[in-house]
């Protein structure tokens, strides 16, 4: 391994550039031929962890290699695994809450009793959660270690908390969960502290008798899962018994766990203040919820917890489709949820499903167009994916009697391509598939490269794509003088929005800002429930793209070039020109210091700057 690294460093020193994949592969293959064994001696994914281990644990030996900081940066670029993971400017870490009864019973939703409602234990993030007893601290530290070993900068972290409806969980658990997320980020600067705390937690869960190994969990849940799949028991009653949700069950390890899974707001706020200046900062915090759970009181609670974005299960805006699939939420309530979320400053991330019971490709296309164009909705982000048929769901009976069928691959690709083309420039389509294993899908799309197939279809059509993800500058680069500032204004039912974007040649996007200017009439009508006053505008998001750069470092591509500051100044000008006297920002905990430097002061749930 060491000889391979020296060969790679020699080539980097010769070219003064990161190695192309084919050049790296040639060096690795040549080394493996020298060693000549029955298996590969060197693999790319092992090289960077070997280098990191030598630097951390054998520093005197590592120094003999004579690696300069510039050479190390090029080496990391060369050996980085899955570079797309941080190409959008932040390191994303997804965690799951423990299983809990769900306030709904949708026809298409999986009923895996080992998971929160709608998730399956074979999904990658679910596997990580289960191995770590759904403990937020263990999930975050394990994931950040893995990303570090893959060569990713993890100074700026977006935390995504999945697990059904967040507000269904007890308030004490919600506070504790967030407390542990921030504790994990704060501890990551000290490997010894992380390992000591992690081992303490593992012992607690083991002593409580809670399993975390795949086979043990399969045996533990087998009988209960069979009853749910057969329809002899409900998901909710089964999960309530297995995890002692809200009740005391003698001998249940989750009862013991609940005793230490508590924290107070003062404890949480102390960790949040610390996170403002730690090595690993939270620059975004996302929770998953249902539109009918979105209320001013709950949104205020989410802001205290540090949240900045909401994922909401919309699925459809067709009342007939919603009723047929037992969604239990009307379109009027969905509109109210979007309005409340916008006025509180949250980014809105809508889940939208095609191919539900009663749907057609033509109807789905019209339904999606309504969501992205109607002033009541216009989400900032969308998860757009086809319904997957999973055993144990109510949809199985409709498949068997012929009242539901999966779209063909071509129908699905054509539909998703049409959806992409009508998506406006201020909306990002973050995903097109769920991470459901092929063996869990009874029928329908099983291709993990569905988005690639859609992109190929779009290339044939030669029509411009405006949605954000397709235009992200990612690994590209553009000089500041190549960028132009574009402003896209649009109306919602309760705000005037302006999407400011730095655009590079080829319509690539290098950064953007979401400015929201609430309608005075809406503020007056809801004044007692809102945390803002009339005359206050809101910055709902600032994002600069490019490979993640470390905090306080000159980064590559668009980050750390003043683009965010210029977006903020322009947003302040626009708000002032429209008669607003102050501007708020829904800052994440780890970005508070940045906004203070831009003239904002702490002001309750937000930071504010006078205009």
């Amino acid at each position: 391994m060491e000889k391979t690294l020296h060969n790679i460093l020699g080539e980097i020193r010769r070219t003064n550039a990161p190695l192309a994949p084919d050049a790296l592969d040639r060096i690795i293959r040549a080394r493996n031929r020298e060693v000549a064994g029955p298996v590969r001696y060197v693999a790319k994914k092992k090289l960077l962890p070997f280098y990191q281990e030598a630097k951390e644990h054998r520093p005197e030996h590592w120094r003999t290699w004579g690696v300069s900081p510039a050479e190390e940066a090029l080496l990391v670029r060369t050996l980085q695994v899955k570079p797309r993971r941080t190409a959008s400017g932040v390191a994303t870490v997804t965690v799951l809450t423990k299983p809990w009864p769900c306030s709904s019973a949708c026809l298409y939703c999986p009923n895996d009793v080992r998971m929160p409602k709608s998730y399956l234990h074979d999904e990658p993030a679910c596997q990580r959660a289960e191995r770590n007893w759904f403990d937020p601290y263990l999930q975050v530290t394990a994931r950040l270690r893995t990303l570090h070993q893959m060569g990713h900068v993890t100074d700026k972290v977006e935390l995504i908390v999945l697990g059904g409806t967040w507000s269904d969980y007890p308030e004490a658990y919600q506070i504790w969960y967030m407390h542990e997320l921030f504790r994990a980020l704060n501890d990551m600067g000290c490997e010894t502290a992380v390992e000591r705390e992690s081992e303490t937690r593992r012992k607690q869960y083991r002593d409580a008798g809670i399993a975390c190994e795949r086979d043990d969990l399969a045996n533990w849940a087998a009988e209960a899962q069979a009853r749910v799949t057969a329809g002899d028991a409900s998901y909710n009653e089964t999960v309530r018994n297995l995890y002692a949700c809200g009740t005391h069950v003698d001998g249940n390890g989750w009862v013991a766990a609940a005793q230490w899974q508590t924290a107070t707001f003062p404890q949480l706020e102390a960790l949040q203040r610390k996170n403002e200046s730690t090595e690993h900062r939270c620059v975004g915090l996302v929770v998953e919820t249902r539109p009918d759970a979105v209320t001013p009181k709950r949104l205020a609670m989410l802001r205290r917890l540090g949240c900045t974005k909401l994922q909401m299960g919309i699925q459809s805006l067709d009342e007939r489709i919603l009723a047929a699939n037992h969604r239990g939420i009307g379109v009027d309530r969905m509109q109210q949820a979007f309005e409340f979320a916008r006025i509180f400053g949250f980014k809105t991330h809508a889940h939208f499903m095609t191919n539900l019971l009663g749907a057609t490709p033509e109807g789905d296309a019209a339904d999606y167009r309504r969501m992205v164009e109607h002033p009541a909705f216009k989400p900032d982000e969308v998860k757009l994916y086809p319904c997957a048929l999973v055993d144990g769901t109510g949809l199985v009976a409709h498949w068997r009697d012929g009242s539901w069928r999966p779209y063909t691959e071509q129908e699905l690709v054509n539909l998703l391509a049409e959806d992409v083309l009508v998506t406006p420039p201020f909306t990002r389509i973050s995903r097109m598939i769920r991470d459901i294993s092929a063996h869990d899908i009874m029928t329908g799309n099983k291709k993990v490269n569905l988005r690639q197939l859609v992109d190929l279809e779009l290339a044939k059509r030669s029509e411009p794509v405006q949605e954000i993800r397709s235009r992200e500058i990612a690994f590209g680069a553009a000089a500041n003088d190549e960028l132009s500032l574009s402003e896209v204004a649009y109306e919602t039912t309760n705000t005037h929005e302006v999407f400011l974007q730095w655009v590079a040649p080829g319509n690539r996007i290098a950064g953007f800002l979401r400015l929201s200017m609430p309608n005075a009439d809406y503020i007056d009508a809801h004044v007692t429930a809102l945390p803002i006053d009339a005359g206050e505008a809101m910055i709902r998001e600032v994002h600069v793209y490019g490979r993640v750069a470390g905090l306080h470092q000159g980064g590559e591509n668009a980050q750390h070039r003043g683009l965010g500051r210029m977006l903020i100044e322009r947003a302040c000008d626009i708000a002032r020109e429209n008669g607003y006297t102050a501007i708020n920002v829904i800052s994440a905990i780890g970005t508070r210091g940045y906004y203070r430097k831009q003239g904002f002061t702490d002001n309750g749930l937000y930071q504010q700057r006078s205009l």
Side-chain angles (χ1 to χ4, degrees), residues 203-210 251-254 256-257 260:
K203 185 177 185 303
Q204 281 183 301
Y205 289 110
R206 292 190 185 106
D207 289 347
I210 303 175
N252 189 309
W254 288 101
W260 71 74

Side-chain angles (χ1 to χ4, degrees), residues 304-586:
R304 286 194 70 187
L305 294 174
C307 297
T308 56
K309 184 191 298 185
L310 297 183
Q311 290 196 27
M312 292 188 287
I314 301 302
Q315 320 310 358
S316 175
L317 294 176
D318 186 320
E319 295 280 11
R320 179 182 58 86
I321 301 296
L322 292 170
N325 289 271
H326 306 171
R327 184 63 180 141
I329 307 173
V331 174
D332 288 348
R333 188 63 186 86
M334 293 179 183
Q335 173 175 337
Q336 188 180 61
F338 271 91
E339 290 176 344
F340 281 142
R342 270 194 302 266
I343 215 72
F344 269 76
F346 288 94
K347 278 76 74 176
T348 55
H349 193 163
H351 297 190
F352 203 83
M353 293 183 73
T354 65
N355 204 179
L356 291 169
L357 177 65
T360 65
E362 297 76 19
D364 279 340
D367 202 16
Y368 180 81
R369 181 186 285 270
R370 179 187 178 195
M371 184 181 68
V372 297
E373 292 183 352
H374 194 285
F377 308 107
K378 297 187 176 181
D380 304 315
E381 291 190 60
V382 177
K383 281 186 181 178
L384 172 63
Y385 41 67
C387 179
L389 184 67
V390 176
D391 196 15
T393 64
L395 190 60
V396 173
H398 292 275
W399 172 55
R400 288 178 173 150
D401 69 18
S403 58
W404 178 87
R405 71 165 180 87
Y407 295 161
T408 66
E409 181 178 297
Q410 197 55 55
E411 284 178 320
L412 185 57
V413 169
N414 286 338
L415 169 60
L416 295 177
E418 290 174 22
D419 289 346
V420 171
L421 289 173
V422 301
T423 302
F426 51 80
T427 298
R428 184 179 191 268
I429 301 178
S430 60
R431 303 203 72 166
M432 283 191 184
I433 60 166
R434 277 279 302 271
D435 279 333
I436 298 177
S437 299
H439 65 261
D440 285 324
I441 300 175
M442 298 177 69
T443 186
N445 175 71
K446 297 183 180 183
K447 292 190 174 179
V448 297
N449 66 332
L450 180 61
R451 188 166 198 145
Q452 184 180 15
L453 299 179
V454 173
D455 288 341
L456 291 173
E457 175 63 27
L458 290 167
K460 295 178 188 175
R461 302 190 183 194
S462 300
E463 297 179 56
V465 174
Q466 297 297 322
E467 74 93 12
I468 293 173
R469 190 178 187 276
S470 299
R471 299 188 295 123
E472 291 172 3
I473 200 165
F475 306 119
N480 280 23
D481 58 7
E482 293 182 289
L483 300 175
S484 60
L485 184 59
S486 168
E487 298 175 9
V488 181
Y490 60 99
E491 300 296 327
T492 73
T493 48
N494 62 337
T495 63
H496 173 64
E497 304 278 324
V498 183
F499 180 75
L500 295 87
Q501 58 178 340
W502 286 113
V503 181
N507 199 29
R508 294 174 301 156
I509 185 169
F512 65 82
L513 180 149
R514 300 184 189 278
L515 171 63
S516 185
M517 293 177 282
N519 296 340
D521 291 345
Y522 185 89
I523 296 293
D524 291 342
H526 300 84
V527 64
T528 59
L530 302 181
I532 63 171
D533 296 323
E536 295 179 5
M538 178 77 73
I539 293 175
R540 296 193 297 113
E541 183 175 15
V542 180
H543 195 116
V544 176
Y545 283 106
R547 191 184 302 272
V548 171
L551 291 164
H552 313 304
Q553 298 176 19
E556 300 176 60
N557 304 335
Q559 290 196 337
H560 297 295
R561 286 159 48 185
L563 299 181
R565 178 183 54 78
M566 288 185 276
L567 287 170
I568 291 169
E569 293 305 320
R570 178 56 188 149
C572 289
D573 289 343
I574 293 172
R576 187 183 299 107
E577 291 163 4
N578 280 270
Y580 291 83
T581 57
I583 188 165
N584 299 307
V585 59
I586 184 169

Side-chain angles (χ1 to χ4, degrees), residues 130-434:
E130 202 171 43
R131 284 197 303 268
N132 289 290
W133 296 276
F134 299 96
D135 185 285
Y137 185 96
L138 295 176
Q139 290 182 74
V140 170
T141 53
R143 188 59 180 153
L144 288 178
R145 282 168 164 172
T146 298
L147 288 172
H148 176 68
Q149 290 170 356
M150 293 166 65
H152 294 275
V153 177
T154 57
D155 296 13
K156 293 177 284 186
V157 179
E158 180 183 46
L159 296 167
I160 301 178
V161 183
L162 302 182
T165 304
W166 170 261
S167 56
D168 282 351
Y169 290 87
E171 182 174 303
Y173 179 79
Q174 295 179 40
I175 298 171
W176 170 80
Y177 203 92
M178 295 303 182
H179 178 274
E180 297 308 302
L181 292 178
F182 284 103
R183 184 177 180 180
L185 291 181
N186 294 346
D187 281 0
M188 276 302 294
C190 177
E191 180 64 25
T192 303
V194 170
E195 191 50 50
R196 183 172 57 247
E197 178 63 27
S198 298
E199 188 51 43
T200 298
R201 285 166 187 260
R202 295 187 195 106
K203 185 177 185 303
Q204 281 183 301
Y205 289 110
R206 292 190 185 106
D207 289 347
I210 303 175
C212 73
E213 298 298 332
R214 184 183 183 90
D215 291 344
D216 294 338
L217 288 162
N219 293 331
W220 172 70
E223 183 179 345
Q225 185 63 64
R227 295 181 67 240
V228 171
T229 301
D232 297 331
S234 72
Y235 171 89
N236 280 354
E237 69 175 297
T238 303
V239 165
R240 192 172 285 112
N241 291 332
L242 287 176
Y243 300 93
C245 303
T247 60
H248 183 85
V249 180
D250 290 337
N252 189 309
W254 288 101
V255 173
Q259 302 305 307
W260 71 74
Q261 291 180 343
T262 61
T264 64
F265 261 121
Q267 291 172 326
L268 169 61
E269 288 161 356
L271 290 183
Q272 289 175 337
R273 287 191 295 272
K274 184 176 180 181
N275 189 251
E276 294 178 16
S277 57
T278 54
E279 293 180 18
H280 298 80
R281 299 181 197 173
C282 176
V283 299
L285 180 50
V286 190
V287 299
E288 188 176 31
T289 190
R290 289 162 47 91
D292 56 345
V294 177
T295 65
K297 182 178 179 181
R298 285 174 173 159
L299 292 177
M301 167 79 166
L302 288 173
R303 277 306 297 143
R304 286 194 70 187
L305 294 174
C307 297
T308 56
K309 184 191 298 185
L310 297 183
Q311 290 196 27
M312 292 188 287
I314 301 302
Q315 320 310 358
S316 175
L317 294 176
D318 186 320
E319 295 280 11
R320 179 182 58 86
I321 301 296
L322 292 170
N325 289 271
H326 306 171
R327 184 63 180 141
I329 307 173
V331 174
D332 288 348
R333 188 63 186 86
M334 293 179 183
Q335 173 175 337
Q336 188 180 61
F338 271 91
E339 290 176 344
F340 281 142
R342 270 194 302 266
I343 215 72
F344 269 76
F346 288 94
K347 278 76 74 176
T348 55
H349 193 163
H351 297 190
F352 203 83
M353 293 183 73
T354 65
N355 204 179
L356 291 169
L357 177 65
T360 65
E362 297 76 19
D364 279 340
D367 202 16
Y368 180 81
R369 181 186 285 270
R370 179 187 178 195
M371 184 181 68
V372 297
E373 292 183 352
H374 194 285
F377 308 107
K378 297 187 176 181
D380 304 315
E381 291 190 60
V382 177
K383 281 186 181 178
L384 172 63
Y385 41 67
C387 179
L389 184 67
V390 176
D391 196 15
T393 64
L395 190 60
V396 173
H398 292 275
W399 172 55
R400 288 178 173 150
D401 69 18
S403 58
W404 178 87
R405 71 165 180 87
Y407 295 161
T408 66
E409 181 178 297
Q410 197 55 55
E411 284 178 320
L412 185 57
V413 169
N414 286 338
L415 169 60
L416 295 177
E418 290 174 22
D419 289 346
V420 171
L421 289 173
V422 301
T423 302
F426 51 80
T427 298
R428 184 179 191 268
I429 301 178
S430 60
R431 303 203 72 166
M432 283 191 184
I433 60 166
R434 277 279 302 271

Side-chain angles (χ1 to χ4, degrees), residues 95-100 115-119 161-166 168-169 288:
V95 296
L96 268 80
T97 48
K98 65 183 179 182
W100 195 262
M115 286 291 128
K117 190 69 184 293
S118 89
Y119 290 94
V161 183
L162 302 182
T165 304
W166 170 261
D168 282 351
Y169 290 87
E288 188 176 31

